Amino acid sequence: MEQEYIQLKEYMDRSKKPVAVTGAGISYLYGMRRLKQSVGRINAGRIFSASYVRKNPEKFYEIMRDSFLEATFVKGPSTVHKQLAKLEKQGKLYGIVTQNLDCLHTIAGSENVVEFQGSFRDNICIDCGNRCCDYNVWNQGHMPHCEKCGAPLMPTSFCMDSKVHDSVSRENMERAVNMISEADLVLIIGTTGFRSDEYLSRMKPRTKLVQVNPSVTEFDRIVDLNIHADAAEVFDAVLN
């Protein structure tokens, strides 16, 4: 394992534009729940509709709180989120591409973050369509409402019947693809590869690909370096 850490540090020292790709593994380990644990028998597709939120705003908020918000605002960023933010501040990490919705990278201090599934910092009013780009509206202990018309807000990427949903989704993924296309080192951390065929589609042939994950994933067969260990332990060794 020590040799793998040395190899990773060498890759990072030589890299001019390293990018991290993170997944649910770094959030579930620190208190985030899977959505299906919170919704029970309610169809998830029905929940992410303006009509459901209009009729059940507080129920929607409870589901969001149980699945995401408690871990985000009460427990806060994990060690890994903070380590990646520190690497960015030291100039050792160019940016982060994440499938996570929880905003924990931003809260930890990372600045160049692409959330290709969207997040709680991009919200839309279900009635007038007003946009609110602030995750703190979800940290008030109740369902957030539009400042203009008073109707409930929901994350733009969650509102499946919103006219802007598809365009926002495309924009987010395009930003992710563009960031990875510029990278000369890609660190895959805590993800099994959700939509990886899209965000790795324009990765340069000579870009090094490193996986940090205690579990076996689809990346095992394609990476240049595979570290099956806890990410916090790995990046503690790199930082120190």
Side-chain angles (χ1 to χ4, degrees):
M1 191 66 71
E2 183 179 346
Q3 186 58 43
E4 292 174 347
Y5 292 176
I6 292 171
Q7 182 68 72
L8 173 58
K9 190 172 187 309
E10 288 178 357
Y11 281 162
M12 294 187 73
D13 287 345
R14 291 201 303 263
S15 174
K16 290 182 170 52
K17 228 168 195 183
V19 170
V21 176
T22 67
I26 69 168
S27 292
Y28 290 146
L29 291 175
Y30 298 95
M32 204 69 63
R33 298 187 69 196
R34 295 184 186 276
L35 181 63
K36 64 183 179 182
Q37 291 177 291
S38 302
V39 301
R41 295 182 179 180
I42 305 174
N43 182 279
R46 184 161 63 91
I47 290 171
F48 299 138
S49 68
S51 59
Y52 180 88
V53 174
R54 191 175 287 109
K55 294 176 183 175
N56 308 279
E58 292 310 318
K59 178 61 179 177
F60 180 82
Y61 175 76
E62 286 175 16
I63 292 170
M64 295 300 100
R65 182 188 62 198
D66 191 44
S67 298
F68 305 104
L69 304 177
E70 232 174 65
T72 295
F73 296 116
V74 178
K75 195 151 191 176
S78 71
T79 300
V80 181
H81 293 102
K82 294 173 184 176
Q83 288 169 325
L84 295 177
K86 187 174 181 179
L87 285 169
E88 183 183 353
K89 284 181 171 59
Q90 292 178 348
K92 297 177 180 178
L93 189 67
Y94 172 67
I96 296 170
V97 168
T98 186
Q99 71 185 61
N100 299 337
L101 311 164
D102 48 40
C103 298
L104 286 171
H105 284 299
T106 301
I107 294 170
S110 294
E111 295 183 7
N112 195 12
V113 181
V114 176
E115 298 150 328
F116 66 77
Q117 288 203 98
S119 75
F120 285 93
R121 63 174 166 176
D122 184 0
N123 305 285
I124 188 168
C125 172
I126 62 172
D127 280 354
C128 74
N130 182 46
R131 299 281 285 278
C132 173
C133 297
D134 182 6
Y135 59 79
N136 283 306
V137 297
W138 294 94
N139 192 23
Q140 310 300 318
H142 55 76
M143 185 71 182
H145 291 81
C146 177
E147 289 185 350
K148 286 190 174 181
C149 73
L153 296 175
M154 38 183 324
T156 305
S157 57
F158 285 21
C159 192
M160 303 299 289
D161 51 6
S162 163
K163 292 180 180 178
V164 300
H165 171 272
D166 291 343
S167 63
V168 168
S169 179
R170 285 194 299 270
E171 288 169 13
N172 288 339
M173 181 54 77
E174 188 61 26
R175 288 179 61 218
V177 170
N178 287 339
M179 184 183 287
I180 291 178
S181 72
E182 297 175 0
D184 56 6
L185 172 65
V186 176
L187 308 172
I188 306 289
I189 308 165
T191 177
T192 56
F194 178 67
R195 296 182 72 180
S196 61
D197 56 329
E198 295 177 70
Y199 63 69
L200 294 180
S201 61
R202 294 209 305 264
M203 188 176 74
K204 291 180 290 190
R206 293 186 180 180
T207 297
K208 295 294 184 183
L209 193 61
V210 176
Q211 174 175 240
V212 179
N213 197 324
S215 304
V216 174
T217 76
E218 66 177 59
F219 292 111
D220 284 51
R221 57 187 174 80
I222 62 170
V223 294
D224 298 285
L225 177 62
N226 210 354
I227 305 178
H228 283 309
D230 179 81
E233 174 189 322
V234 173
F235 289 106
D236 183 60
V238 170
L239 284 163
N240 295 300

